[in-house]
Amino acid sequence: MFHTPLQDAFRTQAGSEPRPVRASDYRGAEMAGSFADPQQEFSVLLTGCGLYDLGFRAWISLTGGDRTRWLNGMVTNNIRDLAVGHGVYSFLLNPQGRILGDMFVHNLGEVLMVETDRSQAEKIVATFDHYIIMDDVEVADINEKQTSLGLGGPKSRAILNAAGIEVPELQPLQRITPQCNCDCGCVNCTVVRGEDGPQESYEIWLAPQDVYKTWRALLAAGATPVGSEALEMQRVAAGIPLYGVDIRERDLPQETEQMRALNFNKGCYVGQEIVERIRSRGNVHRKFTGFLAEGVAAIAAGAKIVSGEKEVGEITSVAALRTSSGERMVALGYIRREVGVPGREVMIATTKATVVQLPLESVAPAENSLLHHA
């Protein structure tokens, strides 16, 4: 198992800042599972600024004169018209339209940077290599040169600025090389705003040898350390599917409800015929959605969803969230489209649950939020 550069630093560096109380295998890497109570860390992501390790991310650079044309013919979103300094979310499909992986593609000018999870990187690189024939495209794994930190929550940009990393208002998936007046020792870094979602978030790309001192500088500026357990709660509450868990190779793009990954005006790409056929002939029969159950229900990934004594779907992810009325179980999964209407009651194994719209409004930072903020 790959250890993130920050996780290695925790083992070797002496410091007074919070240390992980346990490690976790997450998305292809070993990293901090939590620093305190994961529920409190999750609350920080909704109300303050959580700082977390993104060392589970992997980067693949594409260079060469044909890189834009070639990648535009490989993935489901529009790379041809992607502006320099911006990114886009996309799927990689097989010729039958099934999903081989997901990624963010960033246009750095002379380089297209593919960002994905370490658990997917090897398969994506192998697929890329398979399709490069006479094209002027070079694929390079640059993970030894780069790692990443993340900040999430409504106070994230204020914390960056307080740390001396001057970040203006950015569009989702826009990147900058910030002007810095920080305590990080003149670290060269790139800041990327996350996608639009329930909360504002940022990634800081930097060299592995700089990650620990940057981590300490952001903690000193007021960020709260957050581990992978809270990140997983946030992911489930936001309804973001994880490849290898909620998105499998047998799934079709429209079943995942991730229309942000698809562009229907870009022309041909691998698997495009199937995606277009689904769009032109009608919707798929099932969809990805959320479920809310009362109490600490015995729900697990793989559990079957039943409506009217008929099996209509399955659960793929589960998280227990602490709320003002006690713990609630939030689940993600696939359900037949005609049944998956928000407000519809179903049974998950032996537990009653309600179909809910994603992302969950009940965990948004508002006065009527279900969450009890610690």
Side-chain angles (χ1 to χ4, degrees):
M1 177 64 64
F2 171 82
H3 296 172
T4 71
L6 183 61
Q7 186 71 6
D8 284 340
F10 285 143
R11 293 176 173 148
T12 59
Q13 300 285 344
S16 58
E17 75 281 350
R19 297 283 172 147
V21 297
R22 56 183 171 271
S24 172
D25 293 341
Y26 191 61
R27 297 164 79 159
E30 181 180 300
M31 55 182 286
S34 68
F35 294 82
D37 177 5
Q39 296 281 354
Q40 293 181 7
E41 293 177 9
F42 173 55
S43 184
V44 166
L45 291 169
L46 297 177
T47 62
C49 174
L51 172 64
Y52 41 90
D53 187 5
L54 286 174
F56 59 82
R57 302 302 273 170
W59 287 271
I60 304 159
S61 74
L62 301 179
T63 56
D66 294 334
R67 66 188 181 281
T68 300
R69 175 195 58 77
W70 178 84
L71 189 60
N72 197 59
M74 287 294 298
V75 300
T76 58
N77 220 325
N78 187 355
I79 310 303
R80 179 193 59 210
D81 299 323
L82 183 61
V84 174
H86 291 261
V88 69
Y89 177 71
S90 192
F91 289 142
L92 178 68
L93 308 181
N94 67 15
Q96 292 74 43
R98 307 291 174 170
I99 303 172
L100 295 178
D102 68 347
M103 67 194 72
F104 294 97
V105 179
H106 303 272
N107 186 352
L108 309 189
E110 296 301 315
V111 177
L112 289 175
M113 188 69 73
V114 172
E115 180 187 7
T116 188
D117 289 348
R118 286 186 175 269
S119 57
Q120 300 185 61
E122 184 176 351
K123 180 168 69 171
I124 287 174
V125 169
T127 303
F128 282 177
D129 287 340
H130 176 75
Y131 280 96
I132 296 174
I133 303 174
M134 299 294 290
D135 308 282
D136 179 17
V137 180
E138 293 290 333
V139 179
D141 179 333
I142 65 163
N143 290 299
E144 297 300 319
K145 301 177 181 179
Q146 186 164 297
T147 189
S148 184
L149 295 173
L151 294 100
K155 299 179 182 178
S156 295
R157 187 155 72 99
I159 293 296
L160 282 168
N161 290 328
I165 304 173
E166 298 177 12
V167 177
E169 185 72 31
L170 299 175
Q171 297 175 26
L173 295 179
Q174 184 180 0
R175 62 176 286 277
I176 62 163
T177 301
Q179 296 292 323
C180 292
N181 180 25
C182 59
D183 296 327
C184 305
C186 295
V187 168
N188 293 318
C189 68
T190 295
V191 175
V192 182
R193 181 170 175 174
E195 288 187 289
D196 274 335
Q199 291 299 335
E200 192 171 346
S201 65
Y202 296 87
E203 295 182 11
I204 304 175
W205 300 355
L206 70 176
Q209 64 267 24
D210 294 329
V211 67
Y212 184 66
K213 58 185 176 182
T214 306
W215 171 270
R216 295 187 67 181
L218 291 165
L219 291 180
T224 300
V226 167
S228 62
E229 294 174 34
L231 292 181
E232 186 67 3
M233 293 176 191
Q234 182 192 48
R235 182 188 73 79
V236 174
I240 299 172
L242 177 61
Y243 190 85
V245 176
D246 306 290
I247 301 176
R248 292 73 49 96
E249 191 168 331
R250 67 177 182 265
D251 298 319
L252 293 165
Q254 283 99 327
E255 291 177 328
T256 70
E257 294 289 293
Q258 305 306 300
M259 300 307 291
R260 62 195 174 111
L262 304 179
N263 184 289
F264 293 102
N265 301 311
K266 57 168 286 182
C268 295
Y269 57 88
V270 177
Q272 183 261 350
E273 181 180 353
I274 306 301
V275 174
E276 178 59 29
R277 187 183 305 164
I278 292 170
R279 185 185 74 88
S280 62
R281 295 185 180 179
N283 287 323
V284 288
H285 296 300
R286 62 186 192 131
K287 71 172 188 175
F288 183 73
T289 193
F291 305 87
L292 191 62
E294 298 286 348
V296 187
I299 299 175
K304 302 304 180 183
I305 304 166
V306 176
S307 177
E309 299 184 354
K310 292 183 179 180
E311 185 179 308
V312 293
E314 64 173 334
I315 297 300
T316 53
S317 289
V318 180
L321 303 183
R322 188 181 301 155
T323 75
S324 57
S325 57
E327 278 199 315
R328 305 286 295 273
M329 295 298 292
V330 180
L332 303 176
Y334 291 89
I335 191 170
R336 289 195 63 84
R337 190 168 291 274
E338 67 271 17
V339 182
V341 180
R344 181 74 172 261
E345 289 191 349
V346 296
M347 297 296 294
I348 302 175
T350 59
T351 300
K352 184 182 292 186
T354 303
V355 179
V356 292
Q357 187 71 35
L358 297 172
L360 292 178
E361 293 182 1
S362 58
V363 296
E367 290 182 0
N368 61 350
S369 172
L370 286 174
L371 281 181
H372 172 70
H373 298 306

